[in-house]
Amino acid sequence: MNIILLGPPGAGKGTQAQRLVDAHGMRQLSTGDMLRAAVKAGTPVGLQAKAVMERGELVSDEIVSALIGEELDSMGPDMGAIFDGYPRTAAQAEALDDILAARGRKLDHVIELEVDEDALVERICGRFTCANCGKGYHDKFAQPRIPGVCDKCGSTEFKRRPDDNEDTVRTRMAEYRAKTAPILPIYEARGIVARVNGMADIDDVTTAIERIITSG
Ligand code: ADP
Ligand code: ADP
Ligand code: ZN
């Protein structure tokens, strides 16, 4: 199974991808996470991407598509893939078709998380993650069960992204509207798009996604 989670920043892609990983042993392929790891490690890709990400603009199509290809090559052929934050442009959508075909994979579902833009700033500005295992949280909507302790690994260290501020979020939303939303018709023409109400509670969004991927 190969699925794309599509939606603007803060729509809930990462949250839902983590749940699919836990429930089905699929792999989350988040270009945002891969790029942040490259920035942290100071690799050539990271050095190129850092300033672009801080401005909330898009990193080059070549860089992100290469990262996706490498990640797929590290997976067994039967392991399902959840694309989170990729593709984000028409060129990336085309590249993904080639990348998948070359590995004998095909796209099963493109799941669009529909959200109210007004809610996104609050979601992004309250977002934090466990510094040890990466589990995602929110100040108001998804707090750890025990304050200050990660539910999954027990760590007491958390982190926030430097680009999760109101200014950058506006740029990221504009990038989504201009470059990412226009790729939906490509997938609609193939009859593989399903829409989910991303404003529902996190558990209800998960239920809706499960229904889509188990319906064949
Ligand atoms: P994305 O990966 O699409 O940018 P995230 O999954 O990181 O989005 O979610 C952004 C923030 O909103 C996180 O702090 C997350 O805990 C919270 N969140 C995710 N889904 C929901 C939801 N359905 N309702 C309320 N908050 C949510
Ligand atoms: P979010 O889902 O909250 O928008 P991501 O973690 O997916 O954030 O992406 C963070 C940043 O990384 C983006 O603003 C962009 O600069 C860069 N990035 C991530 N994925 C891509 C991609 N597929 N194409 C271009 N840039 C990307
Ligand atoms: Zn943790």
Side-chain angles (χ1 to χ4, degrees):
M1 170 99 49
N2 297 282
I3 67 179
I4 295 175
L5 293 180
L6 208 65
K13 303 179 296 294
T15 301
Q16 298 302 328
Q18 285 183 347
R19 289 174 167 222
L20 290 170
V21 167
D22 292 344
H24 301 287
M26 298 171 78
R27 177 84 67 92
Q28 174 186 8
L29 291 92
S30 159
T31 41
D33 287 348
M34 294 173 201
L35 290 167
R36 279 184 288 279
V39 169
K40 196 172 170 203
T43 65
V45 162
L47 293 176
Q48 246 182 291
K50 188 169 188 280
V52 179
M53 293 172 76
E54 279 168 0
R55 290 195 299 270
E57 294 167 9
L58 294 183
V59 173
S60 83
D61 293 328
E62 292 72 22
I63 287 182
V64 292
S65 293
L67 290 171
I68 287 286
E70 285 164 24
E71 187 78 10
L72 279 172
D73 286 337
S74 76
M75 295 164 49
D78 298 327
M79 180 173 254
I82 310 152
F83 297 97
D84 161 12
Y86 178 93
R88 262 177 153 93
T89 64
Q92 291 177 27
E94 273 178 42
L96 180 60
D97 283 341
D98 295 341
I99 288 168
L100 290 175
R103 292 162 180 80
R105 290 175 176 263
K106 75 165 198 13
L107 268 180
D108 297 285
H109 301 284
V110 176
I111 300 175
E112 185 194 7
L113 297 173
E114 288 187 304
V115 283
D116 192 344
E117 273 206 8
D118 297 336
L120 298 179
V121 173
E122 188 183 16
R123 282 206 191 167
I124 297 268
C125 294
R127 166 161 67 185
F128 63 100
T129 55
C130 172
N132 178 53
C133 75
K135 184 171 165 54
Y137 293 99
H138 191 279
D139 290 327
K140 189 161 150 195
F141 306 124
Q143 295 166 333
R145 282 192 293 272
I146 303 167
V149 181
C150 176
D151 294 347
K152 191 168 172 183
C153 77
S155 168
T156 54
E157 304 259 336
F158 296 89
K159 59 184 182 184
R160 288 177 194 262
R161 283 168 45 180
D163 60 338
D164 277 352
N165 57 71
E166 185 157 355
D167 270 1
T168 313
V169 171
R170 301 274 174 210
T171 306
R172 286 154 61 197
M173 285 202 265
E175 289 280 63
Y176 181 82
R177 247 181 275 123
K179 296 172 186 163
T180 310
I183 68 182
L184 265 162
I186 303 174
Y187 297 123
E188 262 158 20
R190 296 183 203 170
I192 56 172
V193 177
R195 294 198 163 74
V196 167
N197 174 17
M199 296 308 295
D201 286 346
I202 295 177
D203 286 344
D204 295 334
V205 177
T206 306
T207 305
I209 293 174
E210 288 292 339
R211 209 171 285 139
I212 293 161
I213 65 175
T214 52
S215 73

